[in-house]
Structures are given as C-alpha cells and as structure tokens.
Amino acid sequence: HAVGIRAPWLPALFTMDSAGHDTDMLVLTNLQVFQIAAVLFVLVGFSGVPGYLRTGQGDAVTRMFAGFVLYIRDEMVFAVMGKHHGAPFLPYFLCVFFFVFFQNALGLLPPGATATASIAVTAAMAGTTFAAMIGCGMVGQGPSAFWKNRVPHVPLPLWPLMFVVELVGLIVTPVALTIRLFANMTAGHLIVLSCMGLIMFFGQAKAAVGFGSAPLAVGFGVFIMIIETFVALLQAYIFTTLSIIFVGAAIHPAH
C-alpha cells in the first residue's frame, strides 16, 4: 500500500513515478508511514524525560520512559561497554531500542503495518550497527590495528586463513541481526494468519463447521497477539543488546 503526498518543493528525483515522469507526488509506502509514526512517538514520548531526570518531576508516562532509559544505560550499555566507552554510544542505542519497539508495537494495531517485518528495514538498521562497528573500531584502535587485531595470535602460516574466517564472521554479524528481527516479527504474524485461515479451511467443507471453529481460531489468534506484545519488547531488547555487544567487541581488541 502507498500514500501520495503532494510535494512540489522536492527534487524530481524523489517525486518520479515508475515511468520516470515527475508527478509532484511523494509516494510513501505503509511501512514508511509507520516508521515516521514510530519516530514521532519517540520524540513525543521522551520530550519530558530530560526535565524529569534533572528535576525529578514528571507524569507517569515520563517516569516510565525514564526508567527504561536508566535500565538501558546501566544494565545494557554500561554493563557491556563500560561507562567511558558506552556513554558516547548511549543516544544511538536508546534510539535503536525505542525505534524498534515502536515499530513492533504499531504493527499490532488493527490498521497497522510492522515495518520490522520487512527485511529491507531490518537490513538498513543492521547496516547502521555494522557501520558503527567498523567506523568506531577503526577510530578507537586505529585503522591498521583494528584489522590486525581481528586475528588472534596464531602461527604465521595460519594467519591468512584466520583473517578470511574473521572477515566472514564480521560480515555475518549484520546478516544475523537482519534475519533475527525480520524472522521473529514475520513468524508471529504468520501464526495469527494461520489461525484465522483455519476458519476458511474448515468452512470450505461446510459453513457450519467454519462458524463452529471460529471461536477456537479467534481465541488462539488473540492469545498469539498477547504473546506478540511481549515479543515486540523482547525483540527490541535482543536487537539492541546484540548491537551493543558487537560494537563493544569492535572497540575493545581484547574481545
């Protein structure tokens, strides 16, 4: 699904149709719309958190978000990377966590679309983590030392082979992040669709059988949706934790 927004101020590159003609219309897919909505939720939801952390005054929603921020800072980022190395990355990891969470949560709404169920979205997010691993690792250790320290101390004849193995392992890292988030979010929706599909399946034999199976199928679907609410938070936690571990390992050569 796509939404067209008239935007004559944008360059023609962004408003071309499939035939290459300028239409003055910026076309957004449903996934992009809900990604923008997730960003707005992050901005609005955390607008009062800095003031609360300074003054201790805020509403219940602000206190809840502030608690999440402190947990991510102390139990996730600082626990893995340490305060000195973790503090510069804290804003990035906070954005990653809540951006993923709100994308997951918005997909649970009846008219919603789960952006993280698209492999293109998860690949782009994993790409930012991969860029942070390479860029910050080279800055922290030095360009030559970063690539040299990829290989542990091994006999010289094995060094080329180990370098290739470590290079493949480095490339596999964003692939694992991409597939893990995409597969988990897609699997939940497929299970719900399968439950609803049972009604149509049994209804093909006889309408009464289809109606009779509806309460059970809907009940299973609702149960899975409840579990997906927890999964939405869990997958944000896992994606962020793995990103922290990978970036921290790139900065610290001992790891």
Side-chain angles (χ1 to χ4, degrees):
H1 303 289
V3 177
I5 302 174
R6 187 163 296 280
W9 62 88
L10 285 177
L13 175 65
F14 298 98
T15 56
M16 284 184 181
D17 60 14
S18 57
H21 301 117
D22 185 13
T23 62
D24 286 342
M25 296 291 291
L26 176 64
V27 179
L28 300 176
T29 66
N30 57 344
L31 297 183
Q32 291 171 323
V33 170
F34 281 96
Q35 282 183 291
I36 295 173
V39 172
L40 294 177
F41 269 103
V42 172
L43 295 176
V44 173
F46 288 89
S47 59
V49 171
Y52 170 76
L53 294 177
R54 288 193 302 267
T55 64
Q57 298 180 352
D59 55 22
V61 175
T62 299
R63 293 195 298 271
M64 179 186 69
F65 281 128
F68 273 106
V69 169
L70 294 177
Y71 178 84
I72 294 170
R73 184 193 68 179
D74 297 332
E75 303 298 329
M76 295 171 63
V77 179
F78 288 178
V80 174
M81 301 179 65
K83 185 175 181 180
H84 175 72
H85 292 288
F89 292 93
L90 181 60
Y92 168 71
F93 291 125
L94 287 174
C95 290
V96 168
F97 180 91
F98 290 105
F99 184 50
V100 172
F101 170 71
F102 280 118
Q103 287 181 101
N104 295 346
L106 289 172
L108 300 178
L109 301 178
T114 307
T116 47
S118 168
I119 197 168
V121 173
T122 58
M125 297 188 63
T128 61
T129 296
F130 183 68
M133 291 170 54
I134 301 298
C136 298
M138 292 177 67
V139 171
Q141 302 183 44
S144 60
F146 172 78
W147 295 107
K148 179 181 177 182
N149 290 329
R150 297 301 306 175
V151 181
H153 296 289
V154 295
L156 185 60
L158 293 178
W159 196 94
L161 176 62
M162 290 302 300
F163 181 79
V164 173
V165 171
E166 290 293 333
L167 185 61
V168 171
L170 186 65
I171 297 174
V172 166
T173 297
V175 176
L177 284 175
T178 298
I179 296 177
R180 181 186 294 273
L181 181 57
F182 159 73
N184 279 282
M185 299 313 302
T186 302
H189 297 330
L190 290 178
I191 294 174
V192 174
L193 289 175
S194 299
C195 292
M196 298 298 102
L198 290 175
I199 302 174
M200 310 301 175
F201 176 77
F202 290 119
Q204 289 179 347
K206 195 172 183 180
V209 178
F211 283 113
S213 64
L216 184 62
V218 172
F220 272 118
V222 172
F223 175 70
I224 296 300
M225 288 297 291
I226 294 174
I227 294 178
E228 278 209 273
T229 304
F230 169 72
V231 171
L233 181 62
L234 177 63
Q235 290 305 314
Y237 172 82
I238 293 175
F239 188 93
T240 307
T241 299
L242 290 177
S243 297
I244 294 170
I245 293 173
F246 294 150
V247 173
I251 295 175
H252 297 282
H255 298 171

